[in-house]
Short mmCIF file of all heavy atoms in Angstrom, two decimals:
data_model
loop_
_atom_site.label_atom_id
_atom_site.label_comp_id
_atom_site.label_asym_id
_atom_site.label_seq_id
_atom_site.Cartn_x
_atom_site.Cartn_y
_atom_site.Cartn_z
N MET I 1 0.85 -1.23 -0.07
CA MET I 1 -0.02 0.04 0.00
C MET I 1 1.00 1.27 -0.05
O MET I 1 1.78 1.36 0.80
CB MET I 1 -0.88 -0.06 1.29
CG MET I 1 -1.89 0.99 1.40
SD MET I 1 -3.24 1.02 0.13
CE MET I 1 -4.47 -0.01 0.90
N HIS I 2 0.62 2.18 -0.94
CA HIS I 2 1.44 3.36 -0.89
C HIS I 2 0.51 4.44 -0.58
O HIS I 2 -0.72 4.40 -0.70
CB HIS I 2 1.97 3.69 -2.30
CG HIS I 2 0.95 3.80 -3.36
ND1 HIS I 2 0.23 2.79 -3.97
CD2 HIS I 2 0.44 5.04 -3.97
CE1 HIS I 2 -0.61 3.22 -4.85
NE2 HIS I 2 -0.46 4.46 -4.88
N PRO I 60 -39.87 -25.53 -22.95
CA PRO I 60 -39.03 -25.20 -24.00
C PRO I 60 -38.61 -23.62 -24.09
O PRO I 60 -37.54 -23.26 -24.61
CB PRO I 60 -39.82 -25.55 -25.17
CG PRO I 60 -41.25 -25.60 -24.76
CD PRO I 60 -41.12 -26.10 -23.39
N ARG I 61 -39.48 -22.72 -23.58
CA ARG I 61 -39.13 -21.36 -23.51
C ARG I 61 -38.86 -20.66 -22.13
O ARG I 61 -37.88 -19.97 -22.03
CB ARG I 61 -40.31 -20.53 -24.25
CG ARG I 61 -40.38 -20.64 -25.77
CD ARG I 61 -41.66 -19.85 -26.27
NE ARG I 61 -42.89 -20.49 -25.89
CZ ARG I 61 -43.40 -21.48 -26.56
NH1 ARG I 61 -42.84 -22.05 -27.68
NH2 ARG I 61 -44.58 -22.09 -26.16
N VAL I 72 -27.50 -14.30 -14.83
CA VAL I 72 -27.26 -12.85 -14.49
C VAL I 72 -27.35 -12.61 -13.05
O VAL I 72 -26.41 -11.74 -12.59
CB VAL I 72 -28.35 -11.98 -15.26
CG1 VAL I 72 -28.40 -10.66 -14.72
CG2 VAL I 72 -28.19 -12.08 -16.81
N TYR I 82 -17.47 -8.30 -4.98
CA TYR I 82 -16.25 -7.69 -5.41
C TYR I 82 -16.17 -6.21 -4.92
O TYR I 82 -15.19 -5.76 -4.45
CB TYR I 82 -15.97 -7.88 -6.79
CG TYR I 82 -14.57 -7.76 -7.39
CD1 TYR I 82 -13.49 -8.12 -6.59
CD2 TYR I 82 -14.38 -7.17 -8.67
CE1 TYR I 82 -12.09 -7.95 -7.08
CE2 TYR I 82 -13.07 -7.02 -9.11
CZ TYR I 82 -12.04 -7.34 -8.36
OH TYR I 82 -10.75 -7.24 -8.88
N PHE I 85 -15.75 -6.00 -1.24
CA PHE I 85 -14.32 -6.24 -0.96
C PHE I 85 -13.56 -4.99 -1.19
O PHE I 85 -12.70 -4.54 -0.38
CB PHE I 85 -13.87 -7.40 -1.75
CG PHE I 85 -12.33 -7.46 -1.50
CD1 PHE I 85 -11.72 -8.16 -0.39
CD2 PHE I 85 -11.36 -6.94 -2.46
CE1 PHE I 85 -10.42 -8.25 -0.36
CE2 PHE I 85 -10.04 -7.00 -2.16
CZ PHE I 85 -9.49 -7.65 -1.15
N TYR I 89 -11.49 -2.89 1.41
CA TYR I 89 -9.89 -2.90 1.13
C TYR I 89 -9.32 -1.37 1.16
O TYR I 89 -8.16 -1.23 1.57
CB TYR I 89 -9.51 -3.66 -0.10
CG TYR I 89 -8.16 -3.81 -0.40
CD1 TYR I 89 -7.43 -4.77 0.42
CD2 TYR I 89 -7.47 -3.09 -1.32
CE1 TYR I 89 -6.00 -4.79 0.14
CE2 TYR I 89 -6.24 -3.20 -1.59
CZ TYR I 89 -5.50 -4.10 -0.88
OH TYR I 89 -4.09 -4.28 -1.11
N PHE S 11 -29.22 -10.65 -21.69
CA PHE S 11 -28.27 -11.39 -20.89
C PHE S 11 -26.89 -10.90 -21.32
O PHE S 11 -26.02 -10.65 -20.44
CB PHE S 11 -28.39 -12.91 -21.21
CG PHE S 11 -27.32 -13.72 -20.48
CD1 PHE S 11 -27.45 -14.10 -19.20
CD2 PHE S 11 -26.22 -14.17 -21.17
CE1 PHE S 11 -26.47 -14.73 -18.55
CE2 PHE S 11 -25.31 -14.91 -20.60
CZ PHE S 11 -25.35 -15.21 -19.17
N ARG S 31 -4.66 0.09 -8.61
CA ARG S 31 -4.17 1.48 -8.51
C ARG S 31 -3.84 2.05 -7.14
O ARG S 31 -2.88 2.61 -6.88
CB ARG S 31 -5.31 2.34 -9.19
CG ARG S 31 -5.05 3.96 -9.13
CD ARG S 31 -4.07 4.36 -10.08
NE ARG S 31 -3.80 5.82 -9.98
CZ ARG S 31 -3.01 6.38 -9.13
NH1 ARG S 31 -2.54 5.77 -8.09
NH2 ARG S 31 -3.05 7.69 -9.10
N PHE S 32 -4.70 1.58 -6.26
CA PHE S 32 -4.42 2.09 -4.88
C PHE S 32 -4.13 1.14 -3.84
O PHE S 32 -3.71 1.39 -2.78
CB PHE S 32 -5.91 2.70 -4.44
CG PHE S 32 -6.34 3.85 -5.10
CD1 PHE S 32 -7.51 3.80 -5.86
CD2 PHE S 32 -5.72 5.07 -5.13
CE1 PHE S 32 -7.85 4.98 -6.67
CE2 PHE S 32 -6.01 6.18 -5.75
CZ PHE S 32 -7.22 6.13 -6.65
N THR S 35 -1.96 -5.65 -3.32
CA THR S 35 -1.39 -6.66 -2.44
C THR S 35 -1.93 -8.06 -2.66
O THR S 35 -2.87 -8.15 -3.56
CB THR S 35 -1.55 -6.29 -1.01
OG1 THR S 35 -2.84 -6.22 -0.63
CG2 THR S 35 -0.81 -5.11 -0.67
N SER S 37 -4.01 -9.83 -1.06
CA SER S 37 -5.45 -9.98 -0.86
C SER S 37 -6.21 -9.43 -1.96
O SER S 37 -7.35 -10.08 -2.31
CB SER S 37 -5.87 -9.42 0.60
OG SER S 37 -5.42 -8.11 0.65
N THR S 42 -9.57 -10.65 -6.73
CA THR S 42 -9.76 -10.44 -8.11
C THR S 42 -9.83 -11.89 -8.71
O THR S 42 -10.62 -12.06 -9.66
CB THR S 42 -8.49 -9.72 -8.71
OG1 THR S 42 -8.55 -8.38 -8.02
CG2 THR S 42 -8.65 -9.59 -10.21
N PRO S 68 -40.02 -19.61 -31.66
CA PRO S 68 -40.43 -18.27 -31.28
C PRO S 68 -40.60 -18.06 -29.80
O PRO S 68 -40.71 -19.05 -29.00
CB PRO S 68 -42.12 -18.36 -31.81
CG PRO S 68 -42.35 -19.68 -32.13
CD PRO S 68 -41.02 -20.49 -32.27
N LEU S 69 -40.28 -16.89 -29.43
CA LEU S 69 -40.14 -16.52 -27.88
C LEU S 69 -41.47 -16.57 -27.21
O LEU S 69 -41.68 -17.26 -26.26
CB LEU S 69 -39.61 -15.12 -27.73
CG LEU S 69 -39.42 -14.51 -26.31
CD1 LEU S 69 -38.54 -15.36 -25.66
CD2 LEU S 69 -38.95 -13.10 -26.41
N ASP S 71 -45.54 -17.82 -27.75
CA ASP S 71 -46.39 -18.72 -28.42
C ASP S 71 -47.85 -17.99 -28.42
O ASP S 71 -48.56 -18.13 -27.43
CB ASP S 71 -46.55 -20.16 -27.65
CG ASP S 71 -47.43 -21.01 -28.49
OD1 ASP S 71 -47.80 -20.66 -29.67
OD2 ASP S 71 -47.62 -22.13 -28.08
#
Side-chain angles (χ1 to χ4, degrees):
Chain I
M1 185 67 85
H2 62 283
R61 284 177 292 274
V72 167
Y82 197 36
F85 173 83
Y89 186 75
Chain S
F11 175 78
R31 171 75 178 76
F32 297 110
T35 57
S37 51
T42 302
L69 176 63
D71 184 7

